[in-house]
C-alpha cells in the first residue's frame, strides 16, 4: 500500500484563513491503514483547526480516493463539499489528483506520500519495492536491490558492507548480504557472480489503457 | 614505465592517492605530485571523494600527464549517468589517459550534499563492461564510434568486508568483467589481508592493498568509525601509548609495507594530507 505521513499541522494552518470553510477528504484505503487519512485522523485535525479559529464545513472518507469515479460520486452530492472554499486532502498524491478533477477550489496536500510499503506489523512499514517497471527479483532471491541497496546496485554489493550492514546506515541490512544469505540456503550463491544484469531501462509508462476485451471481470 | 607495463612485471608495485583541492589552488597538489612521482608507479586521483565537491579527477590527471607522470583516474558511478560516464571515458582517452579505477563511490549521505540525487545509473560491473565495449568501437546505445579508446582498468575490493565470501564473489565478477588490477580499502591487519590475498591470487591479477598513516589519536578514532576499517588492538595500543603518535603512525605504516613486500603484489598508499611523507615511509619500509 501507499505509505503516507501527515505534514506539520502549522504548515496546513498557514494555508488557511478564518474566512475559509475547510472540507476535509480522507481515504478508507491505504491512508486509513496508516491512520493518516482515517476518520479518527480527520476528527483530530478538525479539532486542531477549531482550536485555531478555523471553520471546518464537513468531511468525507472516500472508499478509494484515487478512483476518480468514487471521488466524483461521493463528493459532488455532498452539500458541505459544495459550500467549502478550500479542500484539505488527507490522501496520497494519486487521491489528491482524483479530487482535483472534480473541483477548481484550492486543495491543500495534508499528507506526504513516501513509498509503496510492505507491512511488517501495524505501524511498521518498509519500502521493498520502487515500482521501477522492470522487476528483477527473480534473479535476486526475491529481494529487490534496486530499492533496498542504498546505491541501487543490481550486479552485487559495493565494498561498504560491514557485518551484514550497509555503509550508509549501520542499522540497515545490506540488501546484497540478505540476497547472499538467502541464496546460501539453496547452495546457489554463485548466481551473484554468474548473472550479469545489463543497465536498466528506466523509461516506464505514465498511464495504462487496457482494451475492454482484455479486462476480465 | 607505463603503469600497464609495470603490471606485467614481477616488481612490487607502488601507487599513492592524491585528493583534488576544494577550490582552484592546485600548486599544493602539484608539489605533492612532484614528490610522489619520484617514488611511486602511478598516482591515483580521487573523484569527489567522500561525496564532497572538488576539482575533477580528469582535469588533475591531465595536469599530471603534462608533467610526464602516470596517473590513475578514479571514476565513480555516483554522480553521472551512462551518457556522462561514457563521455568522460572517451575524454580521458583523447587526453592520453589510460588507467581508470572504477568504483561505486561513497554514498552522497557521507558528504556535503546529503539531499542530492545519487545517480548510480550504472553499477561498477556495468561501467567496467561499458569501458570494454567502447574499446571495441561501440557504445552502450549500440552506436559505432569513430576511433576507439584503450584502457587499463582497475576496481576496488574490501578485504575486511564481512561476509568475506560475498566480497570475493563480487571481486571475481569484476575480474570476469575485465579489470586488470585491484586496489583495496585500507588494511591494518596483515594476517587478514594475507588470507584474502591467498584466496584470490590464483586469478593472476595484481592486487594492491591499501594502507593509511594513522596521524594522530583523533585520526585513529575517525578511521575506526569508517565502514570496514579494522585496526588491530596492538596497533591501537602503540598509537595510544606513543610519545609522538605521528612518528609512530609513520613507523607502523612503514612496517606494514615492509611485511607486504614479502608476499603482496604491491601497495596503495592513502596518506590523506601528509603525502609528502610517503618517500620517507617507503625508505623506512625497506627499499625505494
Amino acid at each position: 500500500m501507499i505509505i503516507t505521513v501527515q505534514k506539520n499541522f502549522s504548515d496546513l494552518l498557514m494555508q488557511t484563513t478564518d474566512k475559509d470553510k475547510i472540507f476535509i477528504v480522507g481515504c478508507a484505503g491505504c491512508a486509513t491503514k496508516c491512520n493518516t487519512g482515517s476518520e479518527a485522523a480527520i476528527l483530530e485535525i478538525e479539532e486542531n483547526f477549531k482550536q485555531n479559529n478555523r471553520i471546518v464545513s464537513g468531511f468525507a472518507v472516500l472508499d478509494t480516493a484515487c478512483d476518480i469515479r468514487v471521488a466524483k460520486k461521493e463528493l459532488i452530492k455532498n452539500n458541505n463539499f459544495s459550500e467549502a472554499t478550500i479542500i484539505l486532502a488527507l490522501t496520497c498524491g494519486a487521491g489528491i489528483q482524483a479530487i482535483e478533477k472534480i473541483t477548481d477550489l484550492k486543495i491543500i496536500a495534508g499528507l506526504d506520500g513516501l513509498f509503496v510499503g510492505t507491512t511488517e506489523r501495524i505501524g511498521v512499514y518498509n519500502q521493498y519495492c520502487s515500482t521501477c517497471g522492470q522487476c528483477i527479483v527473480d534473479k535476486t532471491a526475491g529481494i529487490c536491490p534496486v530499492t533496498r541497496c542504498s546505491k541501487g546496485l543490481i550486479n552485487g554489493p559495493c565494498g561498504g558492507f560491514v557485518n551484514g550492514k550497509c555503509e550508509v546506515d549501520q542499522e540497515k541490512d545490506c540488501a546484497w548480504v540478505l540476497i547472499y544469505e538467502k541464496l546460501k540456503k539453496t547452495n546457489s550463491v554463485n548466481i551473484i557472480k554468474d548473472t550479469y544484469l545489463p543497465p536498466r531501462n528506466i523509461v516506464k509508462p505514465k498511464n495504462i489503457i487496457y482494451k475492454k476485451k482484455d479486462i476480465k471481470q | 614505465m607505463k603503469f600497464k607495463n609495470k603490471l606485467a612485471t614481477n616488481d612490487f608495485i607502488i601507487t599513492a592517492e592524491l585528493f583534488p583541492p576544494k577550490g582552484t589552488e592546485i600548486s599544493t597538489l602539484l608539489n605533492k605530485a612532484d614528490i610522489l612521482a619520484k617514488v611511486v608507479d602511478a598516482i591515483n586521483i580521487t573523484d569527489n571523494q567522500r561525496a564532497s565537491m572538488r576539482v575533477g579527477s580528469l582535469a588533475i590527471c591531465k595536469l599530471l600527464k603534462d608533467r610526464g607522470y602516470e596517473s590513475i583516474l578514479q571514476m565513480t558511478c555516483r554522480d553521472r549517468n551512462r551518457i556522462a560516464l561514457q563521455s568522460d571515458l572517451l575524454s580521458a582517452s583523447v587526453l592520453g589517459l589510460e588507467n581508470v579505477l572504477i568504483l561505486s563511490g561513497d554514498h552522497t549521505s557521507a558528504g556535503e550534499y546529503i539531499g542530492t540525487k545519487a545517480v548510480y545509473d550504472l553499477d561498477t560491473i556495468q561501467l567496467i563492461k561499458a569501458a570494454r565495449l567502447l574499446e571495441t568501437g561501440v557504445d552502450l546505445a549500440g552506436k559505432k564510434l569513430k576511433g576507439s579508446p584503450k584502457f587499463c582498468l582497475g576496481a576496488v575490493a574490501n578485504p575486511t568486508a564481512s561476509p568475506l565470501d560475498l566480497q570475493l564473489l563480487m571481486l571475481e565478477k569484476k575480474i570476469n568483467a575485465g579489470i586488470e588490477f585491484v586496489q583495496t580499502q585500507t588494511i591494518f591487519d596483515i594476517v587478514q589481508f594475507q588470507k584474502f590475498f591467498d584466496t584470490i591470487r590464483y586469478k593472476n591479477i595484481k592486487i594492491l592493498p591499501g594502507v593509511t598513516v594513522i596521524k594522530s589519536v583523533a585520526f585513529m578514532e575517525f578511521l575506526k568509525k569508517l565502514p570496514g576499517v579494522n585496526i588491530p588492538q596492538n596497533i591501537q595500543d602503540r598509537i595510544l601509548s606513543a610519545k609522538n603518535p605521528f612518528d609512530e603512525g609513520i613507523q607502523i605504516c612503514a612496517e606494514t609495507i615492509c611485511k607486504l613486500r614479502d608476499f603482496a603484489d604491491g601497495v596503495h598508499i592513502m596518506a590523506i594530507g601528509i603525502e609528502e611523507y610517503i618517500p620517507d615511509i617507503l625508505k623506512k619500509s625497506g627499499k625505494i
Side-chain angles (χ1 to χ4, degrees):
Chain A
M1 67 172 159
I2 311 290
I3 306 301
T4 46
V5 291
Q6 208 174 87
K7 286 178 179 282
N8 280 337
F9 178 73
S10 56
D11 293 339
L12 304 181
L13 188 66
M14 268 169 53
Q15 297 192 62
T16 62
T17 68
D18 55 7
K19 306 279 187 301
D20 276 322
K21 288 178 182 166
I22 306 164
F23 189 89
I24 307 174
V25 184
C27 176
C30 313
T32 284
K33 285 192 175 160
C34 293
N35 206 24
T36 50
S38 60
E39 188 167 330
I42 291 173
L43 292 175
E44 192 181 325
I45 218 163
E46 182 184 29
E47 187 55 35
N48 283 339
F49 272 127
K50 283 179 179 167
Q51 284 178 12
N52 286 278
N53 301 318
R54 296 294 188 269
I55 303 159
V56 175
S57 69
F59 71 86
V61 181
L62 304 184
D63 191 28
T64 41
C66 56
D67 187 332
I68 296 170
R69 297 164 307 166
V70 173
K72 203 168 187 176
K73 193 174 147 203
E74 294 187 25
L75 291 178
I76 283 185
K77 65 180 184 196
N78 188 314
N79 288 337
N80 293 331
F81 182 76
S82 312
E83 287 169 14
T85 61
I86 194 162
I87 311 295
L88 171 67
L90 299 181
T91 72
C92 69
I96 294 174
Q97 289 172 79
I99 301 164
E100 175 274 325
K101 293 276 187 196
I102 58 165
T103 180
D104 294 327
L105 294 176
K106 180 181 173 180
I107 305 173
I108 303 169
L111 308 182
D112 284 319
L114 296 182
F115 52 82
V116 176
T118 301
T119 308
E120 199 170 305
R121 56 178 191 272
I122 299 299
V124 180
Y125 310 105
N126 298 304
Q127 187 187 15
Y128 286 168
C129 171
S130 312
T131 62
C132 72
Q134 211 180 20
C135 195
I136 57 162
V137 297
D138 54 338
K139 297 173 187 72
T140 55
I143 294 162
C144 174
V146 173
T147 311
R148 298 171 72 179
C149 164
S150 296
K151 298 177 181 176
L153 306 177
I154 62 172
N155 275 297
C158 69
F161 61 89
V162 183
N163 299 323
K165 299 295 178 188
C166 173
E167 72 169 30
V168 172
D169 179 356
Q170 310 257 319
E171 298 291 306
K172 190 179 151 191
D173 292 324
C174 164
W176 278 102
V177 173
L178 293 177
I179 293 167
Y180 169 79
E181 296 293 347
K182 188 85 183 282
L183 291 171
K184 222 160 81 171
K185 291 177 185 170
T186 51
N187 290 323
S188 43
V189 291
N190 280 340
I191 288 175
I192 295 174
K193 172 168 65 79
D194 299 333
T195 307
Y196 171 66
L197 294 171
R200 292 187 315 126
N201 175 10
I202 53 171
V203 177
K204 59 174 182 171
K206 298 274 187 202
N207 62 352
I208 295 277
I209 302 170
Y210 290 112
K211 289 180 181 145
K212 268 190 178 161
K213 66 180 175 62
D214 296 332
I215 302 171
K216 294 189 179 75
Q217 293 288 348
Chain B
M1 192 190 288
K2 271 171 75 171
F3 184 65
K4 192 183 175 76
N5 297 339
K6 189 79 185 178
L7 289 174
T9 68
N10 286 323
D11 295 350
F12 187 79
I13 297 165
I14 301 168
T15 57
E17 192 165 286
L18 283 179
F19 304 153
K22 196 169 177 67
T24 55
E25 195 287 299
I26 54 158
S27 60
T28 309
L29 176 131
L30 291 176
N31 288 341
K32 285 182 176 180
D34 290 341
I35 295 168
L36 289 184
K38 296 187 184 85
V39 293
V40 304
D41 297 304
I43 302 169
N44 281 56
I45 301 297
T46 56
D47 175 10
N48 295 306
Q49 84 280 357
R50 301 293 296 162
S52 67
M53 188 285 298
R54 286 157 182 274
V55 174
S57 46
L58 198 54
I60 302 290
C61 285
K62 167 70 169 117
L63 292 175
L64 298 196
K65 172 90 186 166
D66 291 346
R67 294 164 103 88
Y69 305 157
E70 276 289 295
S71 64
I72 298 173
L73 174 75
Q74 296 201 178
M75 192 177 257
T76 74
C77 300
R78 183 191 55 228
D79 305 322
R80 286 159 289 186
N81 67 12
R82 65 195 78 171
I83 300 173
L85 287 167
Q86 291 181 98
S87 173
D88 279 359
L89 282 169
L90 293 184
S91 302
S93 192
V94 300
L95 293 172
L97 306 171
E98 184 181 65
N99 314 314
V100 183
L101 182 80
I102 288 172
L103 54 172
S104 63
D106 295 321
H107 193 267
T108 49
S109 63
E112 301 166 338
Y113 294 89
I114 290 169
T116 195
K117 183 174 171 57
V119 183
Y120 301 112
D121 182 38
L122 300 184
D123 59 34
T124 49
I125 303 286
Q126 290 165 345
L127 183 52
I128 293 163
K129 280 182 173 277
R132 290 303 183 211
L133 183 68
L134 292 175
E135 290 182 326
T136 69
V138 184
D139 73 358
L140 280 175
K143 303 292 180 192
K144 277 190 179 167
L145 305 178
K146 207 171 176 181
S148 47
K150 190 84 194 115
F151 300 112
C152 174
L153 296 179
V156 296
N158 185 359
T160 66
S162 156
L164 186 62
D165 286 349
L166 176 57
Q167 185 66 195
L168 289 166
L169 282 172
M170 196 54 194
L171 178 53
E172 211 171 318
K173 193 168 183 174
K174 287 175 180 175
I175 293 169
N176 294 342
I179 57 162
E180 294 157 73
F181 67 97
V182 174
Q183 292 174 316
T184 82
Q185 265 138 319
T186 294
I187 58 124
F188 289 99
D189 188 338
I190 289 282
V191 179
Q192 188 180 32
F193 173 72
Q194 188 153 17
K195 196 178 135 201
F196 172 84
F197 184 66
D198 287 343
T199 323
I200 205 77
R201 69 192 314 169
Y202 73 95
K203 280 285 169 189
N204 213 11
I205 188 166
K206 291 286 160 72
I207 299 178
L208 313 180
V211 297
T212 299
V213 185
I214 305 173
K215 296 182 280 187
S216 64
V217 173
F219 188 67
M220 183 167 76
E221 294 307 315
F222 164 76
L223 287 172
K224 279 164 65 183
K225 284 184 195 131
L226 293 181
V229 174
N230 168 31
I231 307 177
Q233 194 56 48
N234 67 318
I235 290 180
Q236 292 190 41
D237 291 344
R238 279 179 64 180
I239 293 290
L240 289 170
S241 61
K243 265 188 191 158
N244 186 335
F246 183 88
D247 289 349
E248 192 65 16
I250 298 267
Q251 183 60 33
I252 290 167
C253 188
E255 287 170 19
T256 306
I257 297 170
C258 183
K259 286 175 197 157
L260 289 172
R261 285 182 190 277
D262 288 340
F263 70 94
D265 293 328
V267 67
H268 174 59
I269 309 167
M270 295 172 272
I272 315 181
I274 54 160
E275 293 82 4
E276 62 275 24
Y277 286 85
I278 288 176
D280 185 36
I281 293 166
L282 286 170
K283 203 171 180 179
K284 281 194 166 81
S285 79
K287 335 155 198 173
I288 211 161

